[in-house]
Amino acid sequence: MKKKEKRKHPRRTFLLILLLACLCIGGVELVACRYFAPELYHRITDPVVQAVVSTAQACSSSVHNAVEDAKHFYRETQAELALRWEEYVAAKEAEQLASEPILDTDTPISDPAITELMTQDGQQILTGGSVDITYFCQADEAWAMQPYGSDSIGGYGCGPTVMAMVVASMTEVETDPVAMSAWAVSHGYWARRSGSAHSIVPGTAQSFGLQVESFAPRTPEELKTALTSGKLMVALMGPGHFTQRGHFILLRGVTLSGDILVADPNSPQRSLTVWDAQLILNELSHSTSSGAPLWAISIPN
């Protein structure tokens, strides 16, 4: 084997020398051509130079575009992460957990002529408001132990339960707390051990074709006017007559005496009680993330 390899070496060397000679001769001829036949020289080299330049420019453009795309993706990702972190912190500050409220109310359940909870085609309906509300209670045994992310609807699902009421009452979509909880999780609105990101309200309303806006006015008269016009309002409540921590409820109308009707996803009794407008305004959460603590929702014209 060694002898055969030695025999091949001279042949390889000869081929390499021949190739090098051709290259050298070609290079010398090209240099000579540049001086003695410029037109021929440019005719030979210009297409090569142009191809090299075009390739370099294309590569440079591709690299530039790739860099710009990477920068854009990075900025969008950072903005999305910042928003999600802000919502997470806000949700923690107004943590939603089903519990008895800090303050009890002495107001009795309203007369059925004002509002009542009736069953219609197998569904509970709250009457007397701007629109009849398809009512869901998160503590209902049909779904209280169903999952909301890794939590339960009964414990942390006031957000999707309220939005299920809004969607079922204002659109033709058939939904319930189970379906809305799964939808909320898939769209990133579930906040582990904290309930829901506040963006669940505008995000859900817009996704189901409803108009939604943060309701900045903070007087009883402005609140009543908006409700009388047919709007529903999702309110994020702080500690008080509705919750110990944070809790979403639905404001659904105004009585002839000027009191507010609500749909509390954690209490049919509180949903059949009339409430003073100023009390509700006083007990709103202090959070302002994603338009909190009060959103007005309406059907587009």
Side-chain angles (χ1 to χ4, degrees):
M1 292 294 293
K2 291 184 180 180
K3 291 182 180 180
K4 289 183 179 180
E5 288 179 0
K6 286 182 180 180
R7 290 175 185 173
K8 288 183 179 180
H9 287 175
R11 186 180 300 174
R12 291 179 183 175
T13 303
F14 174 76
L15 291 174
L16 289 174
I17 293 173
L18 181 60
L19 178 60
L20 182 60
C22 290
L23 290 174
C24 291
I25 293 170
V28 171
E29 288 179 346
L30 194 60
V31 171
C33 185
R34 180 180 181 184
Y35 289 99
F36 298 106
E39 292 183 3
L40 178 60
Y41 171 81
H42 285 292
R43 205 184 321 167
I44 296 172
T45 59
D46 284 356
V48 177
V49 172
Q50 185 175 0
V52 171
V53 171
S54 297
T55 302
Q57 289 176 341
C59 291
S60 176
S61 178
S62 298
V63 171
H64 175 76
N65 291 337
V67 170
E68 290 301 313
D69 288 344
K71 288 181 179 179
H72 182 67
F73 176 77
Y74 175 78
R75 286 193 293 266
E76 284 191 339
T77 302
Q78 289 296 100
E80 180 68 17
L81 288 175
L83 177 61
R84 291 300 183 189
W85 176 251
E86 179 183 340
E87 291 177 348
Y88 176 79
V89 171
K92 278 294 185 183
E93 292 175 349
E95 183 178 16
Q96 303 129 39
L97 175 64
S99 60
E100 290 301 312
I102 292 177
L103 303 175
D104 293 327
T105 178
D106 297 326
T107 306
I109 291 177
S110 301
D111 189 293
I114 297 174
T115 183
E116 65 176 328
L117 185 60
M118 58 186 294
T119 301
Q120 190 175 88
D121 297 328
Q123 177 59 60
Q124 289 189 307
I125 303 294
L126 277 171
T127 66
S130 304
V131 297
D132 288 345
I133 298 299
T134 301
Y135 179 73
F136 300 113
C137 179
Q138 67 190 93
D140 192 310
E141 63 180 9
W143 43 66
M145 298 308 295
Q146 292 295 312
Y148 182 34
S150 62
D151 301 318
S152 67
I153 293 174
Y156 294 90
C158 62
T161 303
V162 158
M163 295 315 297
M165 286 193 273
V166 170
V167 171
S169 303
M170 302 186 82
T171 75
E172 298 298 320
V173 176
E174 294 184 4
T175 187
D176 60 29
V178 176
M180 190 58 73
S181 293
W183 185 90
V185 171
S186 68
H187 286 76
Y189 297 123
W190 165 64
R192 182 178 180 275
R193 294 295 180 186
S194 299
S196 305
H198 302 162
S199 55
I200 190 175
V201 179
T204 305
Q206 290 168 357
S207 294
F208 285 90
L210 297 171
Q211 289 185 340
V212 58
E213 59 183 345
S214 176
F215 191 73
R218 291 291 187 270
T219 68
E221 291 72 24
E222 291 167 319
L223 181 62
K224 294 175 188 177
T225 298
L227 289 171
T228 303
S229 71
K231 295 179 179 179
L232 296 180
M233 291 197 178
V234 176
L236 177 62
M237 306 304 295
H241 289 81
F242 294 93
T243 182
Q244 293 184 16
R245 301 180 184 181
H247 186 49
F248 287 107
I249 67 171
L250 187 63
L251 311 185
R252 59 185 178 93
V254 183
T255 68
L256 292 176
S257 61
D259 291 317
I260 305 298
L261 295 172
V262 310
D264 185 336
N266 195 40
S267 174
Q269 181 175 349
R270 289 194 291 272
S271 300
L272 293 171
T273 303
V274 296
W275 297 89
D276 178 71
Q278 190 61 59
L279 179 147
I280 289 177
L281 292 173
N282 290 344
E283 293 187 4
L284 288 172
S285 168
H286 296 300
S287 174
T288 57
S289 72
S290 298
L294 198 56
W295 296 265
I297 302 176
S298 58
I299 300 173
N301 296 326

